[in-house]
Amino acid sequence: MSYDFTPLFRSAIGFDRLARVAGNAANAQAMPSYPPYNIEKTAETDYALTMALAGFGPEDVEVLQEDNTLVIRGRVPESNREREWLHRGIATRAFERRFVLADHTEIDQAELRNGLLTIVVRQVVPEAARPRRIPIVTGPAGSVMAPAAMGAESCRRQVEAPHAA
C-alpha cells in the first residue's frame, strides 16, 4: 500500500522525512510482538517506554540511540546445566526492537526493575527551533533590500522610524 502525500506538500515545508517514516511504517512487514511494551506520554515533552523483560538482567540488555533510532537488544546466555522443561512459558529468547525517534529527542535514563525496562525519552527543542518574531522592515518605495545587505542598525532604525530614514 502506498500513500500520496502531495496534499501535505502543498502547504507544508520540510516534512519529507515525516512522509518517508510514514511510508516505511506502512510498508513494513509484520512487527514482532516480543517483548511486549507500552509507550506513554508522561509530560508535555516527556515519554516513557516500558518493556516487559522477565528473565533478563541489566547485563543481558543493550539500549542504544543511533541518530533518530532507539535500539533495544536482549540476549540471555543459555545455562550450562541440562534442564528438563515440563512447561516453558517465560520467553527469554534474543530480541532486537527499534523505535524511530522524533528530531531533538534524547534518552534521559534506562532502568530495569522487577522485570520491566523503563526508558525515559525527552524531546528537547533547541532555541533555534523555537518560535521567534521576525521584524518587518520598510524601505523607500520600489526598492527591495535583502535583510543581510542591511546593517542591523539601519534595520532597527527603519522599524522604529520608517519615515525618518
Side-chain angles (χ1 to χ4, degrees), residues 41-75:
K41 188 169 186 170
T42 57
E44 186 63 30
T45 59
D46 296 350
Y47 302 85
L49 168 68
T50 305
M51 188 172 284
L53 297 179
F56 287 84
E59 66 281 354
D60 304 324
V61 180
E62 181 180 39
V63 178
L64 299 168
Q65 182 175 359
E66 300 172 348
D67 295 324
N68 285 7
T69 304
L70 171 63
V71 181
I72 305 165
R73 293 184 186 110
R75 171 177 240 78

